[in-house]
Amino acid sequence: MSIDRVIAAQPLDAQVASASVPLCELRGVSHSFAQPHGAPLLVLEDVSLQVHPNEVVCLLGPSGCGKSTVLRILAGLVRPTRGEVLYRGRPLQGLNPGVAIVFQSFALYPWMTVAQNVEVVLKAAGLGREEISARASQAIRKVGLEGFERAYPRELSGGMKQRVGMARAFSLNPELLFMDEPFSQVDALTAESLRAEVLDIWAAKDKQASSILMVSHDIKEVVYMADRIVVLGAHPGVVRTVVENRLPRPRDYRSPELLQMVDRLHDIITGHELPDTVEPAASVSTPVTPVEPLPDASGGELVGLLEYLDARGGREELFRIAADTDQEFGKVINVVKAAEMLDFVDTPKRQVVLSPCGVRFLKGDATERKRLWREQLLQLGLFRKVWTALEQQPRKELSRELVLDLIVLSMPSEDYERIFDTLARWARFGELFTYDENRGVLQESE
């Protein structure tokens, strides 16, 4: 007899009690992996969390914090070193029978068609031929791939490949849908569309999946998707806090309320103390500082650009700058973009024009230039967050790992190592803070 029929056959009191039991749960779970030299590597420490019926839970954290390991333990793919794993209140034995997983890397068989890639999991489940065909067709139609049943993965875009993975999961009629960074391999617009489609399917009256557990390191993504956000720290993975997301659905990525929630999560990552439950903001007019990628340009290159413009009356065409300086065009764009971020230039059409701030910078002596540079750095979201976190530390120091976590969570698709290097160089140029490579810490400039 299926679990659903068992519950339906129970008295009302028993049904209510059963509904209050988490679908799956970790209690005090720790896990270590054996390293090549034999010593254990602790990846999770004392992690406890629950997934209840009819909710979307997201695990948020940087690479290496154990998000995927948590998901695999709950799915029964990995047995933890210590702690309890429960399914509907009982110890999990083997694979979790209520789970289907959508993987980051699509995990499709290249020699199989779309239909065959979906049907293969149904065959493994031991279903009959007619039911396999009916379920596969329904799932393919549900994810918008009707008409592509005979296509092979090589003929599909990244978004279509991920839809095949979603169809395969939905065809199993899972009670729990696990998603391991499912949108990280597709472009931003496709990812936005897929997120909305997953939520539409989850919210439908005839849905099968009661709850979704998703792994991500994209803050905007989890604020858009989740009812509860479990923020994990790294080395080893621990639960920093659990944030209740009470924003009404459907959600808008550009709404002030969503951006404020994103900003609050940034604060958690940079070490600010927040209660486990985030209340809706009293005012929606509070400005939210965006965090933008830093272009690959040095302070010296920016000063060189400003001096070049000054020598030419304060403006020049972008293409002429590249030709005059014998620089690769992409490099010139990076330098110009960096100068524009610091408000030293404006870029009307193809022109690059010195701004009033840029003129003041050029007229200043060394001390005034550093002061103005620091002021402009603190207008940028990333520098402001790092500086605020630095000021709150008793020793006025931040570890490199913490800053990398912030960069990864703010800009998951960017080269976080390069952005960290640019951050350190720009800060050193203006004596905002310095980076001690030997100790691996950012610290206030003396």
Side-chain angles (χ1 to χ4, degrees):
M1 182 179 291
S2 71
I3 291 174
D4 291 336
R5 289 179 181 175
V6 170
I7 293 174
Q10 294 173 347
L12 181 58
D13 291 345
Q15 290 186 41
V16 172
S18 179
S20 67
V21 174
L23 293 179
C24 59
E25 181 178 5
L26 299 183
R27 293 181 182 174
V29 163
S30 298
H31 189 64
S32 300
F33 288 115
Q35 299 183 82
H37 53 75
L41 174 65
L42 184 63
V43 293
L44 293 176
E45 184 173 30
D46 196 25
V47 172
S48 296
L49 64 88
Q50 298 177 338
V51 179
H52 296 277
N54 301 308
E55 68 170 350
V56 180
V57 178
C58 286
L59 306 180
L60 174 67
S63 298
C65 72
K67 302 184 299 293
S68 295
T69 303
V70 168
L71 185 146
R72 283 160 170 74
I73 289 174
L74 283 168
L77 296 171
V78 174
R79 183 183 295 274
T81 306
R82 187 170 63 252
E84 293 184 274
V85 186
L86 306 178
Y87 172 61
R88 287 191 167 273
R90 296 183 178 181
L92 179 63
Q93 303 294 333
L95 297 178
N96 192 321
V99 168
I101 303 178
V102 177
F103 295 97
Q104 174 183 5
S105 58
F106 311 135
L108 304 181
Y109 296 110
W111 60 88
M112 292 184 179
T113 64
V114 167
Q116 290 168 340
N117 264 287
V118 176
E119 290 171 354
V120 67
V121 298
L122 299 172
K123 291 177 181 177
L127 301 181
R129 180 177 299 178
E130 290 186 4
E131 187 172 2
I132 288 174
S133 178
R135 283 203 191 187
S137 296
Q138 182 184 29
I140 289 169
R141 184 168 57 254
K142 184 179 293 185
V143 301
L145 285 179
E146 192 171 17
F148 291 89
E149 290 86 351
R150 296 184 180 181
Y152 288 90
R154 65 178 178 273
E155 300 170 321
L156 305 177
S157 67
M160 294 172 76
K161 290 176 184 177
Q162 193 56 289
R163 281 186 169 87
V164 178
M166 290 161 51
R168 188 162 55 188
F170 287 130
S171 73
L172 292 169
N173 294 336
E175 188 176 34
L176 286 152
L177 179 64
F178 285 6
M179 308 183 78
D180 190 358
E181 301 198 26
F183 313 119
S184 61
Q185 299 294 313
V186 299
D187 64 87
L189 290 177
T190 300
E192 189 170 326
S193 174
L194 288 173
R195 292 183 199 114
E197 288 179 27
V198 168
L199 290 177
D200 286 344
I201 294 171
W202 169 75
K205 291 182 179 180
D206 62 345
K207 68 179 180 181
Q208 297 294 332
S210 172
S211 296
I212 296 174
L213 176 64
M214 189 176 84
V215 164
S216 180
H217 55 225
D218 185 328
I219 293 182
K220 275 192 175 180
E221 178 173 87
V222 302
V223 173
Y224 180 80
M225 296 285 291
D227 299 307
R228 285 194 300 126
I229 302 163
V230 180
V231 182
L232 298 177
H235 314 301
V238 295
V239 176
R240 285 189 178 177
T241 189
V242 179
V243 177
E244 299 286 344
N245 185 358
R246 298 176 179 172
L247 296 178
R249 300 183 190 276
R251 295 169 183 166
D252 181 351
Y253 291 99
R254 293 159 290 279
S255 73
E257 296 89 346
L258 187 142
L259 293 174
Q260 285 169 0
M261 177 69 83
V262 169
D263 212 39
R264 287 172 182 265
L265 288 169
H266 278 304
D267 287 342
I268 293 176
I269 303 305
T270 54
H272 292 272
E273 293 297 326
L274 282 180
D276 284 352
T277 300
V278 176
E279 298 294 341
S283 170
V284 299
S285 61
T286 304
V288 177
T289 304
V291 178
E292 300 179 65
L294 305 180
D296 187 9
S298 68
E301 289 169 332
L302 266 71
V303 174
L305 171 67
L306 301 185
E307 292 175 344
Y308 169 94
L309 293 172
D310 188 46
R312 285 157 180 77
R315 71 168 54 223
E316 188 54 88
E317 202 173 55
L318 182 61
F319 299 104
R320 173 58 62 184
I321 296 173
D324 287 349
T325 58
D326 196 27
Q327 292 285 330
E328 191 268 324
F329 189 62
K331 178 63 178 178
V332 174
I333 290 178
N334 278 339
V335 177
V336 170
K337 184 176 181 181
E340 187 174 32
M341 286 179 68
L342 293 171
D343 199 28
F344 289 148
V345 301
D346 295 318
T347 55
K349 296 185 177 179
R350 293 180 297 179
Q351 297 287 315
V352 183
V353 182
L354 274 175
S355 69
C357 184
V359 172
R360 289 199 305 274
F361 179 87
L362 288 172
K363 289 182 177 179
D365 59 17
T367 301
E368 175 63 14
R369 285 188 175 189
K370 289 184 183 295
R371 184 194 67 78
L372 188 56
W373 186 278
R374 288 194 297 271
E375 286 183 1
Q376 296 308 112
L377 289 183
L378 289 174
Q379 299 301 310
L380 303 180
L382 183 58
F383 282 92
R384 185 181 298 179
K385 290 178 183 297
V386 171
W387 178 252
T388 300
L390 187 68
E391 286 293 287
Q392 293 184 346
Q393 303 303 311
R395 299 180 61 182
K396 308 301 181 186
E397 294 181 348
L398 279 180
S399 71
R400 182 175 184 272
E401 287 73 19
L402 180 60
V403 180
L404 286 174
D405 283 359
L406 170 64
I407 295 171
V408 170
L409 291 165
S410 304
M411 297 163 275
S413 300
E414 300 295 331
D415 183 345
Y416 55 90
E417 294 277 3
R418 185 200 61 74
I419 289 178
F420 177 88
D421 291 341
T422 303
L423 173 95
R425 283 187 291 152
W426 288 15
R428 186 184 298 113
F429 190 82
E431 297 182 356
L432 180 64
F433 48 77
T434 60
Y435 176 55
D436 185 335
E437 293 186 8
N438 292 327
R439 298 174 55 222
V441 296
L442 290 175
Q443 54 193 11
E444 278 192 356
S445 298
E446 296 180 357

